[in-house]
Amino acid sequence: MTSPAPPGPDALARRLRLTDAVIIGLAAMIGAGAFVSLGAAQDLAGVLAPLAVLVAAVVALCNATSTAQLAAQHPASGGVYHFGGKQLGPWWGFLAGWCFVIGKTASCAAMALVIAAYLVPEPAQRPVAAAVVVVLTGVNLVGITRTAALARVLVTIAVTALVLTAARLLVGLGGGADSTSDGAQGFAAGAPGPLAGADAGLWDGGLAAVLGAATGGPLGLALVVAQAAAIMFFAFAGYARIATLGEEVISPRRTIPRAILLALAAVFVLYVAMSIVLVAVDPAPGDQGWGPAPFRTALDGVGAGAGWHLIVTVGAVAAAGGALLALVAGISRTMLAMARESDLPRPLAQVNQRFSVPQRAEITAAIAIVLLVLLAGDVLVAVAASSFGVLLYYGVANLAAFTQRGQWRLFPRALQVLGLIGCLALVAALPGRTIVAGVGLVLVGVAYRGAVLALRR
């Protein structure tokens, strides 16, 4: 039986149609993938980056089918926090919700820092990133339909910029760039990228280093691809925004599965194409890798002028802004659902009646993101932290979907098993320090909920 939205003044209005839901999912994915994860994945896996995109997409597809199946049965705000609690019990739901809040707060910080990196030099980046979070939170505070409308504009700008940039890169390669032949030779050799192995910086002490990925053998290459896939998964996770908005979608049983699969398919095609373009330009663009602006670096490689830099900068800012807009909305809806069950402070469950948004949760999420922006280190650190939390979140989603029965079984159980295995494998491929820090944060959340339950008793 479908779980209805809670009656009364704290219920959210159903205003989003299929196109709106797809656009919000696209906005959450395109910003992260095209302007952060693609460059980082190629720095790790080199010419094997398109394979990493494929691996991440397969795991994302399995997770998407589980999320869609759960959201159709339980169309209320909170995503897997709500689904896991209904199907597996409150502790599983809390684990999913807590991991989501941790992971997506890190995602928001990464997106804000990327926007600032394209707009201003280093000394001003953190204050500008904090200001961006405040402005976009203000947009979310005046209603979810306005969020969808702005996301539509930002996605259009981002995709246009990416298509134009890809065309310019292909023209540059067709003009005789030497990088095409270098890329073909690198692919034939199966060479990993410049950050693979023992000199990977953030990745020192990770599973690949422990097992000797630097040796270049089949196991080493597989682990390097898994590392890059873990980073790329960060880019595919935007479809979760659709599920967390389930209480605001019209006809959720039909709309949510379609929106999730349509958004995922569109982004997969885009990512594969752009990853191949980067490989063709240069599979190993120097000791420092592609950096935070891979397509700007690629344009330099084919001799493009300042006008093209402006195009890709506008696209990056629009894409990362759209991602941040959708991410803040998703975090606040999960916080709303957790507060309704007293897993977070009850005042966060308040919904503003004029705009039908959880304003207190939005503001709280924004404060946490601003603090992280001002204190965070490298963008890649934030991306890895996000992947840790989100992969565990989807691990719970796959377990919950596996338990569904009858009319609610929309996809084979084999997909949920494959999704769970994929999530755990990609978590294991993350840097050792990320795993340790992530486990510590999860234990903090578990201790908090245990203390609250003890006080209630």
Side-chain angles (χ1 to χ4, degrees):
M1 183 175 181
T2 301
S3 301
D10 287 343
L12 299 174
R14 295 196 182 276
R15 298 177 176 176
L16 297 179
R17 300 183 183 277
L18 175 63
T19 302
D20 297 322
V22 170
I23 290 296
I24 288 177
L26 289 176
M29 287 186 277
I30 290 176
F35 297 98
V36 179
S37 296
L38 280 171
Q42 191 157 339
D43 283 340
L44 287 165
V47 293
L48 298 180
L51 178 59
V53 174
L54 177 61
V55 172
V58 170
V59 176
L61 175 62
C62 295
N63 297 342
T65 58
S66 293
T67 305
Q69 183 171 287
L70 288 162
Q73 183 175 357
H74 307 291
S77 283
V80 182
Y81 167 75
H82 178 74
F83 310 152
K86 291 291 185 181
Q87 294 295 135
L88 301 172
W91 270 106
W92 285 102
F94 176 83
L95 177 62
W98 185 244
C99 287
F100 182 89
V101 171
I102 291 171
K104 291 308 176 182
T105 299
S107 296
C108 290
M111 291 298 96
L113 288 168
V114 167
I115 293 171
Y118 275 92
L119 293 178
V120 296
E122 173 61 33
Q125 286 178 9
R126 294 181 191 278
V128 169
V132 168
V133 173
V134 172
V135 170
L136 292 182
T137 300
V139 174
N140 278 334
L141 288 176
V142 295
I144 190 62
T145 53
R146 291 172 176 82
T147 297
L150 180 56
R152 187 189 305 270
V153 174
L154 295 177
V155 166
T156 301
I157 294 172
V159 172
T160 301
L162 282 175
V163 171
L164 290 174
T165 299
R168 178 62 182 87
L169 291 174
L170 292 174
V171 169
L173 291 172
D178 293 335
S179 57
T180 304
S181 59
D182 292 341
Q185 292 171 5
F187 186 84
L195 295 186
D199 296 326
L202 168 68
W203 300 85
D204 282 350
L207 184 61
V210 172
L211 298 180
T215 61
L219 176 60
L221 290 176
L223 289 170
V224 167
V225 170
Q227 288 180 330
I231 289 295
M232 277 308 306
F233 183 81
F234 167 81
F236 281 103
Y239 54 79
R241 304 299 75 69
I242 301 170
T244 58
L245 300 174
E247 193 174 317
E248 297 159 272
V249 172
I250 298 171
S251 302
R253 174 170 166 77
R254 183 169 183 266
T255 299
I256 291 175
R258 294 176 63 199
I260 288 175
L261 296 179
L262 285 172
L264 182 61
V267 171
F268 170 68
V269 172
L270 178 65
Y271 286 172
V272 169
M274 301 308 293
S275 181
I276 291 172
V277 168
L278 284 182
V279 169
V281 171
D282 187 356
D287 293 337
Q288 300 304 314
W290 287 108
F295 288 102
R296 192 160 59 187
T297 303
L299 287 169
D300 288 338
V302 298
W308 287 99
H309 277 204
L310 177 61
I311 290 174
V312 76
T313 296
V314 170
V317 171
L324 180 56
L325 188 72
L327 285 169
V328 173
I331 292 173
S332 66
R333 269 60 179 183
T334 299
M335 293 174 67
L336 168 69
M338 295 179 75
R340 283 172 173 168
E341 301 297 326
S342 298
D343 283 332
L344 287 178
R346 284 286 300 175
L348 296 179
Q350 183 265 346
V351 173
N352 179 276
Q353 292 305 295
R354 179 181 177 186
F355 299 113
S356 188
V357 296
Q359 286 191 338
R360 291 179 183 175
E362 292 264 11
I363 293 170
T364 302
I367 291 172
I369 296 163
V370 167
L371 290 175
L372 187 56
V373 161
L374 297 177
L375 300 174
D378 184 78
V379 170
L380 186 57
V381 175
V383 170
S386 174
S387 292
F388 176 87
V390 176
L391 283 165
L392 290 183
Y393 172 85
Y394 282 114
V396 176
N398 285 302
L399 280 175
F402 188 84
T403 66
Q404 289 180 282
R405 301 177 182 275
Q407 63 173 321
W408 302 114
R409 287 223 55 83
L410 306 178
F411 303 98
R413 280 193 169 91
L415 288 177
Q416 288 115 54
V417 174
L418 180 60
L420 178 59
I421 293 172
C423 286
L424 296 178
L426 294 188
V427 166
L430 287 168
R433 72 190 72 175
T434 299
I435 296 174
V436 171
V439 170
L441 287 173
V442 170
L443 292 177
V444 167
V446 170
Y448 166 79
R449 186 171 192 269
V452 169
L453 292 177
L455 289 174
R456 289 179 189 171
R457 288 195 294 267

